[in-house]
């Protein structure tokens, strides 16, 4: 199999492009190669904590330039999903950081304050300022009938210090408290990949997902019916593939190997 027919990549960030504030080796060369080969890309992350502008600033600090419409976080994906499905101006109680709150405000939604219990929706994303009061307000609203939305289901989160808890752990606490399962917007649901492909304007047959997690990035690609590359620089390992009923199209060590494979053009690349 070769990578010579790829016209677009949908690229995860945490564990693929960086660990916390530490860029992965070969980051600048990776993006230089994409541009040289005229491969379009969208950066699509389940991390809902940052806004597109904050991600652009982080990339710039690491020597990479990108455009705002090339970045989709699960917070933005959630706001865009609700824009299509929720009543205009609906009231939302949001657990989350700038990437969730700003996206919802930009789409015209009203944000409920602590202990207001008349929200139409509860949206929960990664929140490093999580408190008892936020969890209590979310619980009260969900029990009162608010629709429960999770930006993403990741149970763990890679940092430069190692793995810590992700948004899935917060969702599990709220589900335990309310008995209500959230509607998930981020990967492995196909919604984010579909939004990315709308922006790329490239057929699914010529689009490939690049990620480090089998249970989100790769399963999401399978559900979106696109090919995928698993890199081993983040969460998942090659050994874990054997126990699954799905698999990535290719497995590579990191973005340096992806860069080399793209640069090789029509030369065969080993499949997973």
């Amino acid at each position: 199999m070769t990578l010579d027919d790829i016209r677009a990549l949908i690229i995860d960030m945490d564990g693929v492009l960086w660990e916390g504030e530490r860029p992965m080796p070969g980051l600048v060369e990776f993006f230089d190669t994409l541009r040289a080969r005229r491969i379009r890309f969208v950066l699509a992350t389940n991390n809902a904590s940052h806004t597109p502008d904050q991600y652009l600033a982080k990339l710039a600090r690491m020597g990479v330039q990108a455009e705002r419409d090339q970045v989709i976080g699960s917070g933005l994906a959630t706001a865009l999903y609700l824009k299509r499905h929720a009543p205009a101006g609906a009231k939302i109680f949001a657990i989350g950081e700038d990437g969730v709150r700003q996206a919802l405000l930009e789409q015209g939604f009203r944000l409920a304050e602590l202990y207001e219990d008349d929200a139409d929706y509860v949206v929960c994303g990664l929140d490093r300022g999580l408190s008892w009061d936020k969890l209590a307000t979310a619980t009260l609203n969900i029990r009162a009938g608010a629709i429960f939305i999770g930006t993403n289901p990741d149970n763990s989160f890679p940092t430069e210090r190692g793995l810590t808890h992700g948004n899935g752990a917060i969702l599990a606490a709220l589900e335990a408290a309310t008995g209500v399962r959230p509607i998930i917007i981020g990967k492995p649901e196909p919604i984010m990949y579909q939004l990315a492909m709308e922006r790329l304007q490239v057929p699914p047959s010529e689009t490939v997902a690049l990620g480090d997690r089998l249970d989100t990035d790769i399963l999401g690609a399978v559900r979106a019916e696109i090919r995928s590359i698993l890199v081993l620089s983040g969460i998942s390992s090659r050994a874990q593939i054997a126990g699954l009923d799905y698999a990535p199209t290719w497995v590579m060590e990191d973005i340096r190997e992806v860069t080399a494979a793209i640069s090789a053009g029509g030369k065969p690349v080993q499949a997973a």
Side-chain angles (χ1 to χ4, degrees), residues 45 75 77 83 93 102 108 144 184 204 252-253 268 270:
T45 176
K83 183 70 173 179
F93 179 71
Q102 182 174 311
I184 301 296
M252 301 186 190
E253 288 299 319
Q270 185 175 357

Side-chain angles (χ1 to χ4, degrees), residues 8-9 11 31 34-35 39-43 65-66 70 200:
L9 283 175
I11 306 166
F31 282 99
L34 295 186
R35 292 190 170 98
I39 295 175
R40 300 182 185 183
F41 64 87
V42 163
L43 308 176
Q65 300 298 316
Q70 291 176 309
L200 289 165

Side-chain angles (χ1 to χ4, degrees), residues 11-18 43-45 55 59 71-72 187:
I11 306 166
D12 185 46
M13 291 191 261
D14 297 297
V16 177
L17 304 182
W18 54 61
L43 308 176
T45 176
Y55 278 118
L59 284 164
V71 180
I72 302 175
K187 300 173 282 186

Side-chain angles (χ1 to χ4, degrees), residues 1-16 30 34 39 187 193 206-222 226-234 236 238 241 246-263 269-272:
M1 301 179 72
T2 68
L3 303 184
D4 62 333
D5 63 343
I6 294 177
R7 290 182 53 213
L9 283 175
I10 303 174
I11 306 166
D12 185 46
M13 291 191 261
D14 297 297
V16 177
F30 171 67
L34 295 186
I39 295 175
K187 300 173 282 186
Y193 284 132
E206 299 174 329
T207 302
V208 171
L210 171 60
D212 69 306
R213 298 187 71 120
L214 287 163
D215 59 343
T216 57
D217 304 316
I218 304 308
L219 180 56
V222 170
I226 59 176
R227 292 173 294 170
S228 62
I229 301 171
L230 174 72
V231 288
L232 304 176
S233 54
S236 296
R238 189 185 297 269
I241 299 172
Y246 62 91
T249 313
W250 300 279
V251 179
M252 301 186 190
E253 288 299 319
D254 53 28
I255 53 174
R256 291 175 296 185
E257 187 174 347
V258 178
T259 300
I262 291 172
S263 298
V269 178
Q270 185 175 357

Side-chain angles (χ1 to χ4, degrees), residues 14-15 18-20 45-50 55 58 126 128 152 154-167 213 235:
D14 297 297
W18 54 61
E19 291 176 318
T45 176
N46 265 3
N47 187 343
S49 58
H50 300 307
Y55 278 118
K58 182 171 184 175
L126 184 67
R128 284 164 289 192
N152 65 293
D154 304 56
N155 289 321
S156 58
F157 181 68
T159 74
E160 58 269 42
R161 295 182 178 89
L163 288 181
T164 183
H165 58 287
N167 189 49
R213 298 187 71 120
I235 299 294

